[in-house]
Amino acid sequence: MMVVQLRVILEEHRIEKLTLPTGIPDTVEELISIVTQTFQLHGEFGLLYQDKDFDNQFFSITSTADLYDKATVKVILKEPRFTLDLHPVCEPGPSSTLSSLTSVSTHPASTTEMDISPADNDASSQASDCTSSSSRDTIILPDSCRLSAWPLPFQVPEFSRDVELILAEANISYHATGRHFMDASIKSAIMQDLAKVIFSYTAYPTNEQILSVAEALVSKFPCLKEPGSFAGLYGWQQRIKNKMHNYRAKLRSRRYSYPEIEINTLKKKHPADAVPSKNVKKPKKAEVNYLPPHPTGENQETLEKERLELICEITKKNNAKIIADKMNKTFSSRRVEVVSLSPSVGVFKERWPALFTEAQVRITDHFSLPPRNIHAIR
């Protein structure tokens, strides 16, 4: 067996050399197994190879016979697939308790609420509980909070009328002649609208989210595919990434406060972490309101007064509505403390005792708290 070497592209800035002492494996599965074990990769991967007959464009490897000594292969992460089993919330039986405790309904900011319907032994009373639960246990998000998580699949927004007309004509030309659309001014307008929509979901989109935007865009407008890149997406991925960086910088320059952006500025970081790419604080998966702005007309000082009033209100009876309103109003203030200071549970409980009452914990008990420090509250 002849020793074979492959040039393996793992990431954009990580390219490794793979030596195969016994030659190229007989199957693609064996080669993928060798690559993942050698470079300690985790997940489900696929491989592409450069085809000399097509100007070194990348193609999927369907047979290892396509490979040769010193060939270039590229590792791609396959998107995981999820299957959701949905069950009725108000279903009598043992499972109704679990279903009722995990139901969430999302509406506009003025009526956004989380419904929690307690189980009852009588099936008829369960049905009435489900219809009236919104009047008992609700959580209303401030207007400054985001209302929904990242959409799957991503929906490309409607652009201005002139841009839509131009792209429609460009699509017709692309299907007829294969000519790609190259107008830089139109691409710039597209990027501006995309940045606004992306920011409405997250200030720091992940690589997977950026890829989903690029895929949705070229799927709706094939004329925007870029020649010379895999699936015509790479250029758009880089544009979106750079645009979001510039968009955040533009927002930082305005007077209005965006805590999720400001917390990553150099002046907010510890001197040892004063590097733009180091210790960047951003949402984890499924965190919609990681660090929202304060409600309109409020600031840290006014919300601190609300916190002090809350400590007094918690000692009184029959004022659950007042406590709930103040807790919702001070949500952004608590998030600033959790994200920027990571206080111990004991300190946090002393400052926010209402958060540990039954009414609040029942809504938030699906979050797990580390033993010493709080990293996720509500």
Side-chain angles (χ1 to χ4, degrees), residues 204 245 248-254 256-282 291 339-340:
Y204 295 91
H245 173 78
R248 291 192 296 267
K250 183 178 180 180
L251 292 178
R252 276 199 302 267
S253 65
R254 297 178 179 177
Y256 191 73
S257 174
Y258 291 91
E260 60 185 332
I261 297 177
E262 290 183 351
I263 199 170
N264 290 318
T265 58
L266 296 182
K267 65 179 181 180
K268 294 283 186 179
K269 290 187 176 184
H270 188 275
D273 296 333
V275 179
S277 60
K278 188 175 182 181
N279 196 25
V280 177
K281 296 181 178 180
K282 50 188 175 181
L291 199 55
V339 176
S340 61

Side-chain angles (χ1 to χ4, degrees), residues 162-222:
D162 56 329
V163 171
E164 289 283 348
L165 290 174
I166 291 172
L167 290 177
E169 289 293 328
N171 267 345
I172 295 173
S173 175
Y174 173 78
H175 289 303
T177 65
R179 182 186 306 168
H180 297 270
F181 185 73
M182 304 301 292
D183 191 314
S185 62
I186 298 298
K187 289 185 177 181
S188 177
I190 291 172
M191 289 306 309
Q192 185 64 24
D193 288 346
L194 286 178
K196 292 178 182 178
V197 175
I198 293 172
F199 190 82
S200 70
Y201 297 110
T202 176
Y204 295 91
T206 64
N207 290 333
E208 290 78 11
Q209 290 170 335
I210 290 175
L211 176 60
S212 71
V213 176
E215 288 176 337
L217 182 65
V218 300
S219 176
K220 184 176 181 179
F221 301 107

